[in-house]
């Protein structure tokens, strides 16, 4: 097989469009596109031209001769996909998506949320002539979970930022960062100043376990822990109990594996990434030697993806073990189960750090007085015969999913944690994309097809004459003087990269808000500095511009 997809990729279809023989699937319009864990190269028809690897924004494709030992399982994984999905009916030509034509000259759209969903929505809009898009975010930095959610040892995945930089460079694009809707701006302001508003605010909180002891020191959310080691300014001052030899992560999705991997990683290896300096110092002093990852369901139902499991299994210097009866890991149940069966058969090496994947186990209570000392668990499922037991630990991290918060001015479904919509349309002129639209599911590339659907609904409303023209000329919200614009973000980006070059790292993140704002101010003329960054209002106070949560 000449070329191989080697990880959960962005699935933005760049490689599909570049391939002259249409050998990469699922393609746009085919079942599974945007929902599969990755794309796959057909070994029967690949002609080894290399067009795909040139087009891939995250370097997920490699010739088979360049695969590392850890990547060799992807060779069989790509081949096995076509055993069940032959795609015999496809024509040997690149897939060309249909082009939408609309009368968009002068269309002004606000996007709220500068993560992948918001930037993909901006990209779709800017493909049409005459459109201007202003992307808002409450943080001084864009890219959402692509910046603050991808683990620092997954630098290849973070290369999707190259796509976002291309979006930012398009005519008609602008940022208004460090602007929180509901505090610095109101929904009514955006509706007044733009033809349409697209909310792509994601899912900013985590789900809770709902058990006794969950609020003890030493019990925390994995989402917060991930934000902490990624240098998120909201979590710069967080502290975690790393003074015990064991940590427990409740949940078995990709976030749980990320957390387990970072907790057991060699700090010297992490020092070559963009991990937060504060987190790196804490991990250097950490005494954690074992991370137990608990899953309520069995191995066949585990939520983590196969590429993430393969990456975990290939760790050097860390034992990855599966705890449970052999019948819990059926060898014939698919490639994921086969990898787990191989891990279950491994013999641990004395003295190594270890990650233990434990299935059919649920927590019943977090134990401790003034801090966590243990986690009470019980078995689940037909093979559960262990009863209740206590796992000694000083750190419990829950990784059982993200949840969105209500958006001021929009309806909200508490049961699903989403804004009710039809194809992304909340009402003519108001739209949603990403996790606030569909819930916390999918991958970075899933947001592209999600944004396409939402923008299509917006353009339908434009064609039908349902969008209301903005009031006045320059939008008051879009021109808010306290916002960080594109130049400010580029100044932050360059400051982080410059420090990274000095240290031999991709970047050194500025992890506190004031430091970020100071870097952003360096891009502006000094005479205007005082105007651009007034004191931010404290919780419950009235913003200095007179706007309230309304």
């Amino acid at each position: 097989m000449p070329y191989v997809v080697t990880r959960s990729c962005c699935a933005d279809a760049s490689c599909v469009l570049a391939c002259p023989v249409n050998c990469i699937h699922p393609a746009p319009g085919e079942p599974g596109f945007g929902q599969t864990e990755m794309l796959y190269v057909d070994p029967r028809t690949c002609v080894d031209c290399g067009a795909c690897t040139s087009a891939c924004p995250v370097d997920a494709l490699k010739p088979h001769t360049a695969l590392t030992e850890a990547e060799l399982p992807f060779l069989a994984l790509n081949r096995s996909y076509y055993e069940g999905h032959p795609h015999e009916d496809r024509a040997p030509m690149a897939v060309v998506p249909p082009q939408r034509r609309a009368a968009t000259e002068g269309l002004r759209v606000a996007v709220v949320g500068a993560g992948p969903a918001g930037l993909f929505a901006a990209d779709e809009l800017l493909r049409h002539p005459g459109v201007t898009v202003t992307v808002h975010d409450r943080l001084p930095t864009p890219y959402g979970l692509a910046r603050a959610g991808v683990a620092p040892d997954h630098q290849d995945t973070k290369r999707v930022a190259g796509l976002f930089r291309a979006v930012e460079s398009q005519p008609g694009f602008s940022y208004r960062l460090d602007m929180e809707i509901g505090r610095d701006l109101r929904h009514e302001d955006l509706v007044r100043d733009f033809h349409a508003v697209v909310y792509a605010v994601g899912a900013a909180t985590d789900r809770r376990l709902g058990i006794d002891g969950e609020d003890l020191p030493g019990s925390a959310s994995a989402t917060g822990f991930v934000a902490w080691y990624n240098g998120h300014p909201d979590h710069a001052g967080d502290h975690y109990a790393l003074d015990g030899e064991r940590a427990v992560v409740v949940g078995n999705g990709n976030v749980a594996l990320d957390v387990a991997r970072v907790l057991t990683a060699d700090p010297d290896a992490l020092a070559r990434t963009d991990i937060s300096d504060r987190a790196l110092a804490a991990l250097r002093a950490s005494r954690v030697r074992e991370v137990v990852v608990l899953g309520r369901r069995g191995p066949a139902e585990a939520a983590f993806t196969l590429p993430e499991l393969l990456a975990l299994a290939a760790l050097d210097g860390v034992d990855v073990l599966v705890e449970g009866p052999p019948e819990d890991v059926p060898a014939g149940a698919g490639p994921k189960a086969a990898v787990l069966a191989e891990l279950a058969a491994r013999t641990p090496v004395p003295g190594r750090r270890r990650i233990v994947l434990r299935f059919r186990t649920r927590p019943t209570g977090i134990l401790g007085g003034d801090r966590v000392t243990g986690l009470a668990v019980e078995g689940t499922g037909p093979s559960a015969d262990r009863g209740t037991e206590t796992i000694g630990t000083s750190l419990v991290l829950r990784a059982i999913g993200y949840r969105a918060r209500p958006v001021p001015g929009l309806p909200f479904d508490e049961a699903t944690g989403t804004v009710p919509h039809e194809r992304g349309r909340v009402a003519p002129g108001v739209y949603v994309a990403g996790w606030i639209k569909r819930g916390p599911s999918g991958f970075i590339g899933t947001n592209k097809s999600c944004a396409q659907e939402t923008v299509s609904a917006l353009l339908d409303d434009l064609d039908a004459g349902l969008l209301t023209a903005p009031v006045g000329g320059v939008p008051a919200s879009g021109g808010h003087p306290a916002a960080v614009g594109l130049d400010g973000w580029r100044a932050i980006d360059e400051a982080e990269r410059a420090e990274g070059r000095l240290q031999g790292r991709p970047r050194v993140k500025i992890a506190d808000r004031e430091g970020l704002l100071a870097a952003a101010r360096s891009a502006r003329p000094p005479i205007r500095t005082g105007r651009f960054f007034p004191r931010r209002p404290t919780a419950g106070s009235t913003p200095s511009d007179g706007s309230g949560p309304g």
Side-chain angles (χ1 to χ4, degrees):
M1 181 189 296
Y3 279 83
V4 183
V5 179
T6 60
R7 68 179 66 90
S8 292
C9 51
C10 68
D12 81 328
S14 296
C15 59
V16 177
L17 299 178
C19 178
V21 294
N22 197 16
C23 73
I24 304 175
H25 294 270
E30 294 177 344
F33 180 75
Q35 283 75 50
T36 56
E37 297 175 352
M38 55 192 288
L39 302 182
Y40 304 88
V41 178
D42 188 346
R44 301 168 301 170
T45 54
C46 179
V47 294
D48 195 19
C49 69
C52 58
T53 191
S54 299
C56 179
V58 295
D59 288 347
L61 287 128
K62 287 186 177 182
H64 75 283
T65 53
L67 296 177
T68 65
E69 184 175 352
E71 292 168 337
L72 286 175
F74 288 97
L75 190 65
L77 182 61
N78 276 249
R79 183 184 297 112
S80 65
Y81 170 80
Y82 288 93
E83 294 173 359
H85 308 81
H87 292 285
E88 298 289 3
D89 58 343
R90 72 188 190 274
M93 61 183 66
V95 176
V96 179
Q99 296 296 310
R100 170 71 181 267
R101 299 295 180 185
T104 54
E105 189 66 41
L107 180 65
R108 197 156 69 197
V109 181
V111 173
V112 182
L119 291 172
F120 279 130
D123 186 35
E124 290 300 320
L125 287 160
L126 292 169
R127 293 174 187 270
H128 301 276
V131 178
T132 59
V133 177
T134 303
V135 177
H136 302 72
D137 201 280
R138 71 179 189 85
L139 295 178
T141 56
Y143 304 171
L145 289 181
R147 174 181 167 94
V150 177
D153 59 345
H154 278 12
Q155 289 298 310
D156 288 342
T157 304
K158 293 193 176 192
R159 289 178 184 170
V160 72
L163 281 176
F164 302 149
R165 284 192 287 272
V167 175
E168 296 167 350
S169 299
Q170 296 183 56
F173 181 95
S174 63
Y175 273 134
R176 292 296 178 263
L177 305 175
D178 199 39
M179 289 282 103
E180 184 169 355
I181 307 304
R183 184 182 64 183
D184 302 311
L185 292 172
R186 300 170 299 175
H187 171 69
E188 300 94 297
D189 299 328
L190 297 174
V191 171
R192 179 194 66 225
D193 293 338
F194 294 87
H195 289 91
V197 184
V198 178
Y199 285 91
V201 293
T205 60
D206 66 289
R207 298 183 184 275
R208 291 178 61 84
L209 295 169
I211 59 177
D212 290 341
E214 192 167 6
D215 294 320
L216 281 173
S219 169
S221 73
T223 57
F225 187 76
V226 169
W228 169 72
Y229 65 59
N230 270 314
H232 193 296
D234 289 354
H235 296 269
D238 289 1
H239 299 278
Y240 293 90
L242 304 179
D243 54 345
E245 293 194 355
R246 180 185 292 121
V248 178
V249 182
V250 181
N252 59 6
N254 285 347
V255 171
L257 297 194
D258 283 347
V259 168
R261 207 175 56 251
V262 169
L263 280 170
T264 55
D266 178 358
D268 288 338
L270 291 176
R272 297 189 290 272
T273 73
D274 62 348
I275 191 171
S276 158
D277 283 349
R278 293 169 183 169
L280 179 61
L283 290 167
R284 285 193 183 281
S286 170
R287 295 182 58 202
V288 174
R289 303 290 298 174
E290 176 181 277
V291 179
V292 179
V293 180
L294 298 182
R296 177 177 55 84
R297 296 175 294 179
E301 297 80 32
F304 49 70
T305 61
L306 180 57
E308 288 298 319
L309 179 61
L310 287 170
L312 194 75
L315 289 178
D316 186 25
V318 178
D319 282 334
V320 181
L321 310 171
V322 174
E323 181 179 308
E327 60 268 22
D328 277 357
V329 189
K336 188 185 295 185
V339 176
L340 290 170
E342 186 272 325
L343 292 174
R346 288 186 181 181
T347 300
V349 178
R352 275 188 175 180
R353 297 180 298 278
R354 64 171 60 181
I355 297 171
V356 181
L357 305 180
R358 180 167 171 174
F359 299 95
R360 304 193 191 283
T361 305
R362 67 179 169 217
T364 59
I366 298 176
L367 311 177
D370 57 353
R371 59 174 293 178
V372 171
T373 58
L375 179 68
V377 300
E378 64 181 12
T380 66
S383 63
D385 57 4
R386 291 172 292 191
T388 301
E389 63 177 296
T390 297
I391 301 175
T393 181
S394 59
L395 178 63
V396 176
L397 296 172
R398 59 184 181 273
I400 56 174
Y402 291 86
R403 180 175 173 80
R405 292 185 291 222
V407 179
L410 271 62
F412 189 74
D413 186 334
E414 288 287 351
T416 62
T418 61
V419 171
H421 66 92
E422 180 182 354
R423 294 175 49 241
R425 179 191 297 106
V426 181
V430 180
Y431 308 86
V432 286
W435 282 0
I436 193 65
K437 170 185 173 184
R438 67 180 191 274
S441 62
F443 312 97
I444 289 177
T446 310
N447 292 296
K448 185 175 182 68
S449 55
C450 177
Q452 287 172 336
E453 180 186 62
T454 295
V455 171
S456 178
L458 187 158
L459 295 178
D460 286 344
D461 289 348
L462 174 64
D463 288 342
L466 299 178
L467 301 186
T468 302
V471 176
V474 177
S477 56
H480 199 291
V484 174
L486 178 57
D487 287 345
W489 155 236
R490 285 177 170 168
I492 294 171
D493 185 46
E494 177 52 33
E496 293 182 339
R497 289 172 177 271
E499 186 61 28
R501 288 191 291 270
L502 294 176
Q503 299 187 26
R505 301 169 62 183
R507 68 174 63 237
V508 176
K509 286 182 177 175
I510 302 170
D512 63 279
R513 186 180 294 272
E514 289 307 314
L516 290 166
L517 296 182
R521 284 196 293 270
S522 69
R524 297 190 172 94
I527 191 172
R528 303 179 69 184
T529 298
R531 290 182 53 214
F532 272 74
F533 295 93
R535 184 181 300 275
R536 296 182 62 84
T538 57
S541 67
T542 302
S544 58
D545 64 353
S547 64

